[in-house]
Amino acid sequence: MKMEDIAKSIGVSRVTVSRVINGHENVSLKTRKKVLDFIKETGYQPNLAARTLSKKRSDTIGVVCSHAYNILVSQMLTTVLSEIGRHGKQALMLLTKDDVTEKTAILSLTRKTVDGLVIFSNFCDNTFLEQITIDHKNIVFNGPGPSSALTVRTDHIKGMKQIVTYLYELGHKYIHYFGAPIEMDRTGHDERHKGYLASMQQFGYDPSNSFATEVDTASGYKEAKNILLSHSPRPTAIVCYNDELAFGVIRAAQELGISVPDQLTVTGYDGIDLFRYATPSLTTYRLDPVEVGKSLISILMKQLNFDENLAGDNWVDGELIVGESASSPPS
């Protein structure tokens, strides 16, 4: 059975059937239901191989991502997948957990008949990524990539500098950085740490660092107790890689009888929706995951329609949000 057969059987155009199958939004709910019900009854499956041969494209976009459980990343992914469908394409997503699985996923998708690739890279070194972008131009990175890459990114060095500068202005000197897993830091993917180090050097303060095993609230809670109990003098402020770590730090501090922000300032990063509802509300640097997700696919679609490589950085700004979790250090 072909799409023409479906169209003829239910009295709609072939274009309408194609739009429904590819997830376009400009089809009425009544017509969409009619097409989907017929497909379900007949067991029709689109012939991707035939479509690839006829169009020289598979209408499939690959997505490689680690830390998909992270709230901000999951919001970006939701938008990316929605935008892929809106452009009439399918998504093939592979989730990774370290440099080995990330490299394997990227190599697997570049060897398949995907039209383009969206990479959320946290672990691969730039030498590997540089070679991938030389061999395949239809790739866009969320965040920093190799010099030849097409990227959508936020200046996290600048964002973290804004946070540390704000704490400096409040009078803090003992500012501890609670970062992402050390594997991310070693490969240069933790730009937030670079911003922290640059600011501490600028203000003449000694840096103090520790690194989480995961970038989630549970890790923040578990490891914050060690930071608060083992450091002497105890930091007056803890700057966290993301909001989720910060939520864990606040909970750990409260259990230890340390008041936030009267005795300890805690800041996050990302600005996920929950920051408004934390107690106290979180001081953070807010990013817009929807804007990032839409930009990733918009730019990739432009690349797919150009023979020349559109390599370059496309910037999406964030903003400092001052909440209740930061105040002047105790005297």
Side-chain angles (χ1 to χ4, degrees), residues 15 81 85 170 229:
V15 173
L81 297 178
L170 288 175
L229 293 173

Side-chain angles (χ1 to χ4, degrees), residues 110-168:
T110 54
R111 290 167 182 165
K112 295 181 184 294
T113 54
V114 295
D115 296 338
L117 189 58
V118 181
I119 299 179
F120 292 73
S121 177
N122 281 318
F123 300 108
C124 287
D125 59 85
N126 272 348
T127 302
F128 170 80
L129 296 176
E130 187 81 52
Q131 187 60 52
I132 290 295
T133 54
I134 291 173
D135 297 337
H136 306 275
K137 69 180 179 66
N138 295 335
I139 297 178
V140 61
F141 289 83
N142 173 57
S147 58
S148 58
L150 181 63
T151 73
V152 174
R153 57 190 299 194
T154 297
D155 190 343
H156 296 304
I157 294 177
K158 174 184 173 183
M160 187 55 73
K161 281 183 174 181
Q162 286 189 37
I163 289 178
V164 178
T165 298
Y166 175 67
L167 299 182
Y168 167 79

Side-chain angles (χ1 to χ4, degrees), residues 7 36 44 65 69 80 82 102 119 134 137 171 188 235 245 258 290:
L36 293 176
Y44 169 77
C65 182
Y69 55 83
V80 163
S82 175
E102 190 169 276
I119 299 179
I134 291 173
K137 69 180 179 66
L245 287 177
I258 301 170
V290 174

Side-chain angles (χ1 to χ4, degrees), residues 299-312:
I299 290 166
L300 180 59
M301 292 301 117
K302 289 179 182 178
Q303 178 66 84
L304 290 174
N305 292 316
F306 278 86
D307 292 330
E308 298 179 4
N309 193 337
L310 301 178

